Amino acid sequence: MDEFGKLADPVDIGGVPIRNRVFQAPMSGVTDEAFRRRAYGHGAGLVVSEMIASGELAKGRLDTGRRVRHSGLPVHMVQLAGREAHHMAEAATIAEAEGADIVDINMGCPAKKVTGGYSGSALMRDLDHALTLIDAVVGAVKVPVTVKMRLGWDDTALNAPILARRAEQAGVKMVTVHGRTRCQFYQGKADWRAIARVKAAVSIPVVANGDVGSPADAETVLEQSGADAVMVGRASYGAPWIVGQIAGAAGGDTSSRVPANGAAMADYVVEHYEEMLALYGVESGLRQARKHLGWYLGRHAPGLSPLLRSTIMTSLDPAEVIHTLRAAFVAAAEVEPVRAAA
Ligand SMILES: Cc1cc2nc3c(=O)[nH]c(=O)nc-3n(C[C@H](O)[C@H](O)[C@H](O)COP(=O)(O)O)c2cc1C
């Protein structure tokens, strides 16, 4: 079988049909509803909410409400983080009531804020405790439960295959493995071959993640890991279409509308900006949007003058930001027309 071509095939996650096998990774502060709609619209097989702290969701904090809310997409996958079984169970119940089709458990986040609370990848240091959380979530909801993990805590404890097998036995329907340890954070290169050990340990679908940014990467990660699907994170900064493009390269039916020139890029970015203002309200939205604008500019208008860049990145007036963005992308395309579509 053509390994790369299989990425265009549908996959079943505990009874939920997923249209192809190239997934957008959850990224806190990035993959909000606006971003996920874009990624899905471009052809991503699956998109996942930002991580939601289960204790906060259980307490009804506003930001978590925004994160858990149904985006209107055909598959709503919600990711929960936490270390208390009762909070995880309660949060999973809330997610299910919000219409989640799949609940994912975060066992991969390396942030001290998260691991310091013994959630995220810290759970890989105590698999018995990790299993109590999995049991609690699986027991709380009818929808399929999945787990996202790293290879292990550090090089001396590469226990992802054990966690994955125990998770499968506990009823988990898919695992995603970021090919780094917690102690690597984001340094070094993801070890795609190590993901093969997880694949060998389970019969549920395994998703390979880490440093995939192109069809060629996706092909290599599949060869080296034998995984069933791939998940792409940071490569989608300033390019929400990347995941759909990889699926399309594999033969997926992705009618992706990728901006083809400076004016189209300007329209695209302005539309995304306006969606963020609508999602968060103007005051918060214009701040939250800055990282995306910075990525779009860095990638598609790299020669932008510091003055225009600074206006875009600091102005508190959305009309001024939009006006300057349009000027920036049109000017960039005049200098280097092909760059806009890269
Ligand atoms: C800014 C940022 C936020 C992230 N937030 C989450 C998250 O909320 N949940 C999660 O499981 N992983 C999160 N991750 C990890 C990514 O999902 C992914 O595993 C990691 O970035 C490696 O994939 P990549 O090399 O394709 O980026 C985050 C990563 C980044 C860079």
Side-chain angles (χ1 to χ4, degrees):
M1 180 186 181
D2 172 4
E3 275 297 294
F4 181 57
K6 86 177 179 191
L7 290 178
D9 295 342
V11 60
D12 177 285
I13 304 177
V16 178
I18 305 301
R19 62 182 179 179
N20 69 54
R21 298 165 181 237
V22 191
F23 303 163
Q24 172 72 54
M27 290 186 287
S28 194
V30 180
T31 56
D32 59 12
E33 211 177 306
F35 192 95
R36 296 200 305 277
R37 272 212 206 93
R38 286 183 174 269
Y40 192 83
H42 286 295
L46 185 63
V47 296
V48 191
S49 81
E50 300 165 89
M51 160 175 80
I52 305 172
S54 55
E56 305 289 300
L57 181 60
K59 284 181 214 142
R61 290 271 302 269
L62 172 68
D63 184 49
T64 59
R66 194 184 290 118
R67 286 181 179 216
V68 77
R69 191 172 64 203
H70 203 299
S71 54
L73 295 173
V75 177
H76 184 42
M77 179 157 170
V78 171
Q79 188 189 63
L80 302 175
R83 67 189 165 105
E84 307 270 2
H86 66 279
H87 279 151
M88 291 296 281
E90 196 178 338
T93 309
I94 295 170
E96 189 177 42
E98 283 290 327
D101 300 290
I102 303 172
V103 173
D104 187 56
I105 305 178
N106 181 321
M107 296 197 174
C109 182
K112 288 215 172 70
K113 190 170 82 172
V114 175
T115 57
Y118 304 104
S119 52
S121 57
L123 291 166
M124 297 196 72
R125 301 183 93 176
D126 184 350
L127 297 193
D128 288 342
H129 184 63
L131 262 292
T132 64
L133 304 186
I134 292 172
D135 286 338
V137 174
V138 169
V141 293
K142 292 194 183 67
V143 297
V145 176
T146 59
V147 173
K148 184 161 175 285
M149 61 184 74
R150 287 191 171 224
L151 294 176
W153 179 261
D154 63 21
D155 279 349
T156 66
L158 300 175
N159 56 2
I162 302 169
L163 174 57
R165 184 175 307 140
R166 290 184 66 179
E168 179 179 30
Q169 285 162 356
V172 161
K173 302 299 184 196
M174 179 180 83
V175 293
T176 300
V177 187
H178 175 189
R180 287 186 174 82
T181 64
R182 185 276 178 183
C183 289
Q184 281 180 289
F185 285 87
Y186 289 91
Q187 282 151 14
K189 173 103 181 58
D191 183 353
W192 295 335
R193 291 184 198 282
I195 300 171
R197 291 197 282 275
V198 179
K199 174 66 188 161
V202 295
S203 47
I204 50 176
V206 173
V207 186
N209 168 241
D211 298 341
V212 177
S214 66
D217 291 340
E219 190 164 7
T220 310
V221 78
L222 286 184
E223 270 164 32
Q224 295 187 355
S225 67
D228 302 281
V230 300
M231 181 178 268
V232 177
R234 291 163 296 166
S236 60
Y237 286 175
W241 49 83
I242 283 287
V243 176
Q245 276 189 332
I246 295 173
D253 179 18
T254 61
S255 49
S256 193
R257 184 182 59 88
V258 175
N261 56 45
M265 182 64 73
D267 286 346
Y268 185 95
V269 175
V270 167
E271 212 177 276
H272 188 175
Y273 183 64
E274 288 174 334
E275 284 162 11
M276 289 194 73
L277 300 187
L279 183 60
Y280 296 100
V282 173
E283 200 185 328
S284 168
L286 65 84
R287 289 187 169 78
Q288 308 238 29
R290 282 180 187 148
K291 67 174 86 120
H292 292 280
L293 299 184
W295 290 326
Y296 282 124
L297 291 169
R299 202 156 174 161
H300 311 293
L304 184 64
S305 82
L307 182 65
L308 287 188
R309 189 183 165 87
S310 150
T311 304
I312 291 167
M313 299 307 278
T314 59
S315 171
L316 297 176
D317 174 6
E320 184 182 38
V321 173
I322 289 171
H323 174 80
T324 317
L325 278 171
R326 289 199 184 282
F329 287 115
V330 170
E334 275 165 13
V335 176
E336 202 178 342
V338 286
R339 182 118 204 158

